[in-house]
Amino acid sequence: MHESLLIAILIWIVIGAIVGWLAGLLVQGGGFGFIVDALIGILGSVVAGWLFPRLGIAIGHGLIGSILASVVGAAIVVLVVRLIRRI
């Protein structure tokens, strides 16, 4: 495995964990532990990257805008997971 790919994956995990943690703070009772929070953060980034442009939503540009959009996307994922867990 190339060193740059490994570094990119580690960055995704760290940013995903931070974004998932932030989303867990925003959505009361949304924290699920480090691994699941990281996965929710990564999934939230994907949701934000796919859904927001289709809805015409733009949350700034650059790294800060991407992080904000990822937090919102992760919060959406946390809400959906909580709704599914209630069923």
Side-chain angles (χ1 to χ4, degrees):
M1 184 178 290
H2 294 289
E3 184 177 316
S4 60
L5 178 60
L6 181 60
I7 291 171
I9 291 170
L10 289 174
I11 290 170
W12 285 345
I13 291 170
V14 169
I15 291 176
I18 292 168
V19 166
W21 174 73
L22 287 171
L25 291 177
L26 289 174
V27 180
Q28 186 177 17
F32 297 105
F34 175 75
I35 301 291
V36 177
D37 281 351
L39 292 173
I40 286 174
I42 293 167
L43 184 58
S45 297
V46 172
V47 166
W50 178 81
L51 181 63
F52 291 176
R54 283 164 178 70
L55 296 174
I57 299 172
I59 304 178
H61 298 293
L63 181 62
I64 300 299
S66 295
I67 290 173
L68 290 174
S70 296
V71 169
V72 173
I76 291 169
V77 172
V78 168
L79 288 172
V80 169
V81 168
R82 285 180 58 198
L83 287 173
I84 290 172
R85 286 181 64 182
R86 286 185 181 175
I87 296 175

